[in-house]
């Protein structure tokens, strides 16, 4: 699959500099950036859901010092 995007001259220059800096083709730079963004958004969604489950489950945090005492550390 291929696609095209319109960039300003400044955006194109920045993207090309980034690709050169990372020793990759421009297309690969965009592909990596896209999938990194997708992974980041997915991780945030999973973390938000886990936190909601934690809060909705009535769990509460406690100071680390309590855990250390419990473990005799």
């Amino acid at each position: 699959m291929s696609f095209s995007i319109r960039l300003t001259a400044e955006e194109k220059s920045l993207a090309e500099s980034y690709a050169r800096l990372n020793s990759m083709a421009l297309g690969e730079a965009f592909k990596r950036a896209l999938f990194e963004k997708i992974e980041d958004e997915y991780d945030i969604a999973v973390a938000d859901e886990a936190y909601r489950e934690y809060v909705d489950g009535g769990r509460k945090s406690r100071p680390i010092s309590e855990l250390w005492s419990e473990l005799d550390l």
Side-chain angles (χ1 to χ4, degrees):
M1 174 181 178
S2 65
F3 64 93
S4 64
I5 58 173
R6 296 185 194 280
L7 301 173
T8 65
E10 185 178 330
E11 291 167 338
K12 182 180 178 189
S13 177
L14 179 62
E16 288 172 338
S17 293
Y18 175 81
R20 268 193 312 278
L21 182 65
N22 289 283
S23 302
M24 64 179 76
L26 187 56
E28 181 65 23
F30 276 105
K31 186 175 169 182
R32 283 191 187 185
L34 172 64
F35 283 102
E36 284 179 19
K37 179 67 173 172
I38 290 170
E39 288 173 5
D40 289 348
E41 292 290 329
Y42 178 79
D43 290 345
I44 290 168
V46 169
D48 286 345
E49 178 62 26
Y51 181 69
R52 271 193 300 279
E53 288 177 11
Y54 173 81
V55 170
D56 292 347
R59 297 184 181 134
K60 299 207 185 242
S61 63
R62 59 185 179 158
I64 192 68
S65 58
E66 287 182 20
L67 176 61
W68 290 339
S69 293
E70 185 179 308
L71 298 173
D72 292 323
L73 296 175

